[in-house]
């Protein structure tokens, strides 16, 4: 029983932070909470529509995460709730089911949130937090750009008043251009003015709640000029009260397809969650727990699955606003929660007057923030292959279903990793006059190797994916020497482990060198690798006297053996 409080503290780090809350933080957290609430109300309503649900569901979907992440999250600043990527992925996952089989769309979204939560919680149980690294930076840049284009294409109908039937981004853009003569001018002009306003506020007053101001001004404009009579769509009546606890039930044949979608949403949502959390932790000098974030996101989604919501993740924009106003703890989220509940209980008539074109414009504005042109330029300057990865991911997301795009993104990341591991950098080391130590002979024109000795470094762990590449390049290094090679010293500083394929290949390599009267030795051998060499029998084959813990002792042994001969 004595360990119980410790277990609760480990499971709910947010509770521990709340117990040590400092009074000096109150003003900053309250100000951040009220401002974030003003920003998220129209934003989350827009994301509710983006997910294919009623706008109010976007507000319902932020209530459980605000409480649950406060208790279970490891970041004191992250804002968790409806987010553009998970919203559009929700729409993609459910729309095909409702078209082919028919069902309650809202129930499917709620079930999907619950399954996403369970996937994350299972991942936490197996400590799979490291999976976020499967989506490398180029893949994330390309993926988010593709999602942004899909978000924009899906809002074309709302901001123009043109009915669009196509279900693909390219089809929607093509159909929009073909039907441009049907443009509903009051709707389009209102949307355009909202977009211009949002960009102006972001440029000249970034701390202001731009989306809220934009929607209120748009609402006032519609009311003043009676634009709803001219066909400008409004949000309309909003259900009274707050979401309630309910266990949605759907047919088994619809539940099974949701599992694959939930895994994709969980991977992307968690990656966004942990990367955002880490970015602000680095900026403000505190630590976050990647595996704990998996649990927190899972419980938040599970809460939405029981409270009529849909899948959620973190919001970089809302987190940035809170940070800019000095948020110190998740109390800012609790303050925002109180504001949202107040609005839902007492200001529903105002929300009902929000024009839908304004919400569509907010989605487009958010989407433009996901297309990071400077990052594409940086990738091009750094390495063209990484730019190609990003662009390939964008194209893959646009030309396939968005959930297939997740699989493409993960696959490309893994292929990129395998490509790097299968053909890593290598080096033959030599001495440079006037410089201490040993250096890559390819980097210095005056580098000289020690006659009869090849010191070779392979910059990756040896495994099935690269051991043949290692053997070929090691042999090339031997053939490139002018003086007959007597010793081949493998610098193992980057080789931390072996697999069975590598063990067998090293045994073959040893035998090939023996036929040539070349001694195989290893230097800079770490303890873990030494144990593997011993267990595999390679240590016995080579001889323990040919394993060295520094390069200098290996070189000294070479000269001593050479003199003895």
């Amino acid at each position: 029983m004595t360990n119980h409080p410790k277990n609760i503290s480990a499971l709910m780090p947010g509770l521990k932070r709340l117990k040590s809350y400092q009074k000096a933080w109150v003003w900053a957290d309250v100000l951040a909470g009220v401002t974030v609430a003003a920003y998220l109300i129209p934003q989350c309503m827009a994301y509710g529509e983006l997910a294919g649900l009623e706008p109010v569901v976007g507000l319902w979907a932020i209530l459980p995460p605000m409480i649950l992440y406060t208790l279970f999250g490891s970041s004191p600043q992250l804002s968790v709730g409806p987010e553009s990527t998970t919203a559009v992925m929700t729409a993609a996952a459910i729309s095909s089911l409702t078209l082919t089989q028919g069902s309650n769309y809202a129930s499917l979204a709620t079930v999907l949130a619950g399954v996403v939560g369970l996937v994350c919680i299972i991942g936490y149980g197996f400590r799979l937090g490291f999976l976020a690294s499967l989506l490398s930076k180029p893949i994330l840049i390309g993926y988010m750009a593709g999602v942004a284009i899909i978000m924009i294409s899906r809002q074309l109908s709302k901001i123009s008043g043109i009915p669009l039937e196509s279900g693909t981004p390219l089809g929607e853009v093509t159909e929009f251009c073909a039907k441009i003569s049907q443009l509903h001018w009051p709707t389009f002009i209102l949307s355009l003015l909202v977009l211009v306003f949002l960009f102006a506020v972001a440029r000249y007053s970034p701390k202001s709640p731009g989306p809220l101001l934009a929607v209120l001004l748009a609402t006032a404009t519609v009311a003043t000029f009676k634009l709803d009579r001219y066909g400008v769509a409004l949000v309309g009546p909003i259900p009274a009260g707050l979401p309630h606890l309910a266990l949605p039930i759907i047919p088994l044949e619809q539940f099974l397809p949701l599992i694959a979608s939930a895994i994709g949403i969980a991977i992307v949502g968690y990656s966004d969650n942990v990367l955002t959390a880490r970015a602000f932790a680095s900026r403000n000098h505190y630590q976050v727990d990647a595996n704990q974030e998996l649990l927190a996101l899972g419980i938040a989604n599970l809460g939405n699955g029981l409270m009529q919501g849909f899948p959620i993740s973190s919001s970089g924009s809302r987190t940035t606003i809170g940070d800019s106003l000095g948020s110190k703890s998740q109390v800012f989220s609790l303050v925002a929660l109180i504001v949202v509940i107040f609005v839902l209980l007492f200001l529903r008539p105002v929300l009902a007057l929000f024009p839908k074109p304004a919400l569509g414009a907010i989605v487009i504005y958010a989407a433009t923030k996901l297309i990071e042109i400077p990052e594409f330029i940086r990738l091009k300057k750094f390495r063209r292959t990484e730019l190609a990865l990003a662009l390939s991911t964008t194209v893959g997301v646009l030309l396939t279903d968005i959930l297939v795009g997740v699989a493409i993104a993960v696959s490309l990341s893994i292929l990129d990793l395998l490509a790097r591991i299968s053909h890593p950098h290598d080096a033959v080391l030599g001495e440079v006059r006037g410089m201490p130590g040993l250096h890559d002979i390819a980097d210095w024109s005056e580098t000289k190797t020690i006659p009869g000795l090849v010191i070779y470094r392979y910059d990756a762990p040896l495994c099935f994916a690269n051991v043949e590449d290692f053997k070929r390049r090691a042999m090339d290094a031997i053939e490139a020497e002018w003086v007959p090679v007597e010793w081949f010293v493998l610098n193992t500083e980057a080789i931390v482990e072996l697999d069975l394929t590598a063990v067998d290949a090293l045994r073959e390599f040893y035998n090939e060198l023996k036929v040539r009267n070349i001694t195989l030795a290893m230097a800079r051998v770490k303890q873990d690798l030494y144990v593997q060499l011993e267990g595999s029998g390679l240590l016995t084959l080579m001889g323990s006297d040919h394993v060295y813990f520094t390069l200098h002792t290996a070189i000294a042994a070479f000269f001593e053996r050479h003199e003895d001969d």
Side-chain angles (χ1 to χ4, degrees), residues 59 86 94 112 131 144 248 272 344 354 359 361 430 492 494 528 562:
L59 296 181
T86 51
I94 298 175
L112 182 60
L131 287 177
M144 297 307 290
D272 185 38
L344 283 170
F354 281 8
L359 298 181
T492 65
D528 289 346
H562 189 65

Side-chain angles (χ1 to χ4, degrees), residues 262-441:
I263 293 172
I265 294 173
I267 291 174
V268 173
Y270 172 67
S271 297
D272 185 38
N273 192 88
V274 75
L275 290 173
T276 305
R278 282 174 175 170
F280 283 91
S282 175
R283 180 185 300 178
N284 295 304
H285 312 294
Y286 58 83
Q287 297 291 322
V288 294
D289 184 331
N291 217 51
Q292 183 67 29
E293 287 301 299
L294 198 53
L295 174 65
L297 185 63
I299 291 177
N301 272 286
L302 192 59
N304 264 354
L306 297 174
M307 296 290 286
Q308 302 169 271
F310 59 91
I312 53 91
S313 180
S314 65
S315 169
S317 59
R318 297 195 296 268
T319 306
T320 300
I321 290 172
D323 178 64
S324 68
L325 294 169
S327 64
K328 302 296 184 183
S329 75
Q330 284 295 330
V331 168
F332 91 93
S333 291
L334 299 179
V335 172
L337 171 72
I338 294 170
V339 173
V340 173
I341 291 175
F342 178 84
V343 169
L344 283 170
L345 291 177
F346 303 108
L347 298 181
R348 288 184 298 105
V350 177
L351 298 181
L353 297 175
F354 281 8
K356 287 189 176 183
L359 298 181
I362 290 173
V363 171
I364 291 177
Y365 169 74
T368 61
K369 302 298 182 182
L370 300 180
I371 304 176
E372 300 178 283
I373 300 297
E375 288 296 302
F376 279 99
I377 295 173
R378 188 161 74 100
L379 289 176
K380 180 182 178 182
K381 291 180 178 179
F382 178 69
R383 187 180 292 130
R384 289 184 180 272
T385 55
E386 301 222 337
L387 174 64
L389 276 174
L391 294 175
S392 298
T393 305
T394 301
V395 172
V397 169
L398 293 176
L399 295 184
T400 65
D401 179 84
I402 191 169
L403 294 168
V404 176
V406 177
I408 291 174
V410 173
S411 299
L412 287 174
S413 290
I414 294 173
L415 287 174
D416 181 46
L417 175 63
L418 287 175
R420 294 178 188 278
I421 292 176
S422 63
H423 191 75
H425 179 268
D426 69 340
V428 174
L429 304 180
E431 298 173 328
V432 180
R433 181 181 298 177
M435 290 182 65
L438 297 170
H439 306 274
D440 186 346
I441 63 172

Side-chain angles (χ1 to χ4, degrees), residues 92-300:
I94 298 175
S95 58
S96 59
L97 284 177
T98 55
L99 284 174
T100 57
Q101 303 176 25
S103 184
N104 186 325
Y105 192 104
S107 294
L108 285 172
T110 301
V111 171
L112 182 60
V115 178
V116 169
L118 290 175
V119 169
C120 291
I121 292 170
I122 291 171
Y124 166 79
F126 285 97
R127 304 196 63 81
L128 299 181
F130 70 91
L131 287 177
S133 59
L134 287 180
L135 294 175
S136 62
K137 184 71 173 179
I139 298 300
L140 282 172
I141 292 170
Y143 177 79
M144 297 307 290
V147 168
I149 294 171
I150 291 174
M151 289 170 60
I152 293 171
S153 70
R154 291 190 174 175
Q155 301 308 305
L156 291 177
S157 179
K158 292 175 186 174
I159 67 167
S160 66
I162 300 173
L164 301 177
E165 298 177 359
S166 178
T168 65
L170 182 60
E172 286 167 336
V173 172
T174 303
E175 188 179 355
F176 174 79
C177 294
K179 294 181 177 180
I180 195 70
S181 60
Q182 301 177 28
L183 192 68
H184 187 257
W185 285 102
T187 297
F188 181 70
I189 291 173
L190 181 67
S191 303
L192 191 61
L193 289 175
V194 170
L195 270 175
V196 171
F197 180 82
L198 287 169
F199 281 109
V201 169
R203 180 176 177 84
Y204 299 109
S205 184
K207 293 185 179 181
S208 300
L212 179 66
L213 295 175
V215 170
L216 291 177
L217 288 172
T219 302
T221 301
V222 170
T224 301
F225 296 100
K226 310 295 182 185
L227 294 182
D228 54 319
R229 297 181 180 178
Y230 295 93
V232 174
L234 303 181
V235 168
I238 290 176
L242 301 173
H244 58 272
L245 185 67
L247 187 63
I249 299 175
I250 62 172
L252 182 62
E253 61 269 18
Q254 291 187 326
F255 177 79
L256 294 178
L258 288 181
I259 296 176
S261 300
I263 293 172
I265 294 173
I267 291 174
V268 173
Y270 172 67
S271 297
D272 185 38
N273 192 88
V274 75
L275 290 173
T276 305
R278 282 174 175 170
F280 283 91
S282 175
R283 180 185 300 178
N284 295 304
H285 312 294
Y286 58 83
Q287 297 291 322
V288 294
D289 184 331
N291 217 51
Q292 183 67 29
E293 287 301 299
L294 198 53
L295 174 65
L297 185 63
I299 291 177

Side-chain angles (χ1 to χ4, degrees), residues 463-480:
C463 62
F464 69 95
N466 60 21
V467 72
E468 291 301 322
D469 175 76
F470 159 76
K471 286 172 58 180
R472 178 180 56 79
R473 292 163 77 181
M475 284 297 186
D476 288 345
I478 292 172
E479 297 294 338

Side-chain angles (χ1 to χ4, degrees), residues 429 438 453-458 487-496 520-527 529-530 533 542 544-557:
L429 304 180
L438 297 170
L453 173 64
V454 170
I455 304 175
Y456 179 76
R457 190 185 71 216
Y458 196 71
W487 270 39
F488 182 94
V489 175
L490 176 60
N491 179 356
T492 65
E493 61 183 288
I495 304 175
V496 293
L520 174 63
M522 293 186 182
R524 302 198 69 174
V525 177
K526 299 179 178 65
Q527 182 62 27
L529 179 60
Y530 188 90
L533 292 173
M542 293 170 48
S544 59
D545 56 336
H546 288 138
V547 174
Y548 306 95
F549 294 102
T550 69
L551 287 173
H552 292 295
T553 53
I555 293 171

